[in-house]
Amino acid sequence: MKKLTSWLDIPADSDFSIHNLPFGIFSKKKKGKTRAGIAIGNQIVDLAALAEAELIDVSPFVFRQSTLNDFIALGKKVTNKVRLDVQRLLVEADSPLQKKQEILILQADVQMHLPIHIGDYTDFYSSIEHATNVGKMFRDPENALLPNWKHIPVGYHGRASSIVVSGTPIRRPKGQVMPKDATAPVFKPSERLDFELEMGFITGKNTQLGDSVSTTDAADYIFGLVLFNDWSARDIQKWEYVPLGPFLGKSFGSSMSPWIVTLEALEPFKVAGPKQDPKVLPYLKYTGKNNYDIQLEVALQPENSVAHTVSNSNLKYMYWNMRQQLAHHTINGCNINVGDVMASGTISGKDESSYGSMLEISWGGSKPVTLKDGSTRTFIEDNDTVIMRGFAEKDGIKVGFGEVSGTILPSD
Ligand code: CA
């Protein structure tokens, strides 16, 4: 890929390079109304202002909204053109944008919002390392993976209403837990609050009830990706999850990063996925490289202290890829809508340093982690902040996601 250079000053290590150009919803601090923008370096291209200046061929109205749903629904032909037009305007000499710098806004001067109205949220369970680790701890070390796992991209329907944008605090949930050796459950604040390092994809196209999306066509239905922290209360989860799966141990909150990185921006970072053995059923077969080499990091920062990296993982470890997830999700005729979120499931690698949850890092609470400030953690304590970051980099070209962070407030 040819490396592009912008006339705009972009920090060399910025996640938001000229090759990225992700979409988000922002408002100016104090009095601003929400509108759509594209991140570039430490600034934002105000798309409504760009459209008003007639530098892109889309109605400004579609950008003066509180979500990107209507814009995304215009289809990839339009959304890709807007992104490439903005790229051209930021690269070409004598660009008309250079003379209209009021269209560029400092990220430091804005507040970011949840970029989409999320109709439905599905959470997969597609990391073989994570599923194996959890199976060993919660069930049977000898048969950690259930018999269906290598045949089905296992998932469940999550709760869309409690997905919040990065920076939103999360209140420690209360619920039923079954203490060890007790005969009856008790109601109390979760003592095993955890993060789950995930990425989510945002669907960009509706289907009709009864339709299925093939693995071949799936990319047309994926608008882009975000970082996703699927907060989990392990003690609540452990007591409630049999037989229908996660419920209140998950639905109290999930956090997502504000900038949606398009699938097109991630194209250069595609890699082959792990070999799938046994062979999958025909509707899950795919061709080509459909995993993405995205480096991921989780840091835990206690109140008034320094951040400590607890995990370095990578999206490329996923056993099931996004095409297979979408094909599976729709094979029964279930319809999808623009703005649905489908998350990967916890992204763990083989190595302990790449585990994507405290459950695995502390191995069920048996191996405390010592942080930089000398304190120890098995799970997340009150006023801890969890920060996840992710980026892809190749041949000097970087495409990053910024971060998703959230602070845990004490239970009320
Ligand atoms: Ca999850």
Side-chain angles (χ1 to χ4, degrees):
M1 191 169 61
K2 188 171 170 270
K3 197 172 176 186
L4 300 172
T5 312
S6 173
W7 46 262
L8 189 70
D9 192 21
I10 301 166
D13 63 342
S14 177
D15 277 353
F16 307 122
S17 70
I18 188 69
H19 295 276
N20 188 349
L21 305 174
F23 292 93
I25 293 286
F26 70 97
S27 62
K28 285 193 189 166
K29 282 178 186 163
K30 291 175 192 156
K31 58 174 181 162
K33 287 188 177 153
T34 52
R35 42 176 66 203
I38 281 183
I40 179 73
N42 51 24
Q43 302 188 64
I44 295 171
V45 178
D46 181 339
L47 289 172
L50 199 67
E52 277 153 20
E54 298 183 344
L55 293 176
I56 46 172
D57 189 21
V58 180
S59 160
F61 175 76
V62 84
F63 299 120
R64 279 195 232 108
Q65 301 198 26
S66 57
T67 69
L68 290 168
N69 292 58
D70 287 355
F71 171 64
I72 294 172
L74 295 174
K76 284 208 182 202
K77 223 173 164 178
V78 176
T79 57
N80 283 343
K81 185 169 186 309
V82 166
R83 185 172 157 269
L84 294 175
D85 283 348
V86 167
Q87 190 175 57
R88 180 177 45 76
L89 286 164
L90 286 164
V91 167
E92 68 185 10
D94 301 322
S95 165
L97 184 56
Q98 237 169 329
K99 298 177 199 81
K100 289 183 178 288
Q101 297 225 6
E102 67 278 8
I103 292 174
L104 291 163
I105 295 164
L106 274 176
Q107 286 172 22
D109 292 341
V110 311
Q111 182 192 345
M112 295 305 297
H113 300 266
L114 196 67
I116 40 166
H117 171 75
I118 303 164
D120 278 301
Y121 157 47
T122 301
D123 195 21
F124 285 94
Y125 193 55
S126 290
S127 154
I128 194 166
E129 288 82 7
H130 174 69
T132 304
N133 286 339
V134 173
K136 280 182 188 169
M137 275 183 267
F138 276 35
R139 285 185 304 272
D140 174 7
E142 300 306 312
N143 295 291
L145 281 184
L146 287 167
N148 61 3
W149 199 90
K150 285 185 168 180
H151 297 277
I152 291 176
V154 169
Y156 73 99
H157 292 293
R159 186 76 193 165
S161 65
S162 55
I163 299 176
V164 294
V165 74
S166 176
T168 310
I170 299 283
R171 179 80 56 191
R172 180 180 296 273
K174 288 185 278 201
Q176 278 198 34
V177 304
M178 180 62 119
K180 204 168 182 277
D181 304 323
T183 52
V186 295
F187 179 78
K188 64 178 186 179
S190 170
E191 288 176 358
R192 296 193 147 209
L193 188 53
D194 202 353
F195 60 78
E196 287 192 331
L197 169 63
E198 303 197 16
M199 296 198 75
F201 69 84
I202 316 291
T203 52
K205 205 168 161 182
N206 296 347
T207 62
Q208 298 298 314
L209 188 60
D211 288 351
S212 301
V213 177
S214 67
T215 56
T216 309
D217 294 341
D220 294 342
Y221 290 81
I222 299 172
F223 178 72
L225 272 70
V226 292
L227 299 167
F228 199 83
N229 180 353
D230 189 32
W231 301 97
S232 301
R234 301 299 181 193
D235 38 7
I236 297 172
Q237 180 186 356
K238 190 172 184 183
W239 172 232
E240 75 178 357
Y241 88 105
V242 180
L244 285 186
F247 189 27
L248 306 186
K250 301 278 187 175
S251 61
F252 60 93
S254 305
S255 304
M256 67 181 251
S257 53
W259 294 106
I260 306 176
V261 176
T262 63
L263 210 57
E264 288 67 30
L266 295 168
E267 185 68 22
F269 309 104
K270 277 177 153 185
V271 290
K275 187 175 185 306
Q276 295 183 328
D277 182 25
K279 280 202 174 79
V280 298
L281 284 168
Y283 79 95
L284 290 168
K285 282 189 179 144
Y286 67 94
T287 53
K289 296 173 177 175
N290 287 294
N291 276 39
Y292 291 83
D293 184 358
I294 299 173
Q295 300 180 47
L296 301 165
E297 178 198 280
V298 186
L300 208 157
Q301 183 167 6
E303 191 179 22
N304 302 320
S305 185
V306 288
H308 179 99
T309 302
V310 290
S311 178
N312 285 289
S313 189
N314 195 308
L315 185 65
K316 72 181 177 187
Y317 300 142
M318 302 311 290
Y319 188 85
W320 296 102
N321 63 54
M322 292 183 280
R323 286 177 189 253
Q324 293 179 308
Q325 289 169 341
L326 197 51
H328 184 67
H329 202 304
T330 57
I331 195 63
N332 66 346
C334 172
N335 51 330
I336 56 165
N337 290 301
V338 168
D340 289 351
V341 170
M342 301 198 183
S344 56
T346 307
I347 305 162
S348 293
K350 283 193 168 51
D351 192 83
E352 279 178 34
S353 65
S354 61
Y355 289 171
S357 65
M358 287 305 290
L359 178 71
E360 295 161 271
I361 294 167
S362 75
W363 204 255
S366 65
K367 286 165 58 180
V369 176
T370 303
L371 305 182
K372 272 187 196 141
D373 65 5
S375 64
T376 59
R377 293 290 183 281
T378 48
F379 291 94
I380 303 167
E381 312 233 322
D382 288 346
N383 305 308
D384 282 355
T385 300
V386 176
I387 307 147
M388 296 175 179
R389 294 193 182 86
F391 66 90
E393 196 165 27
K394 192 182 171 187
D395 303 330
I397 290 169
K398 187 175 180 183
V399 170
F401 289 79
E403 66 175 43
V404 57
S405 74
T407 301
I408 294 300
L409 302 178
S411 186
D412 52 15

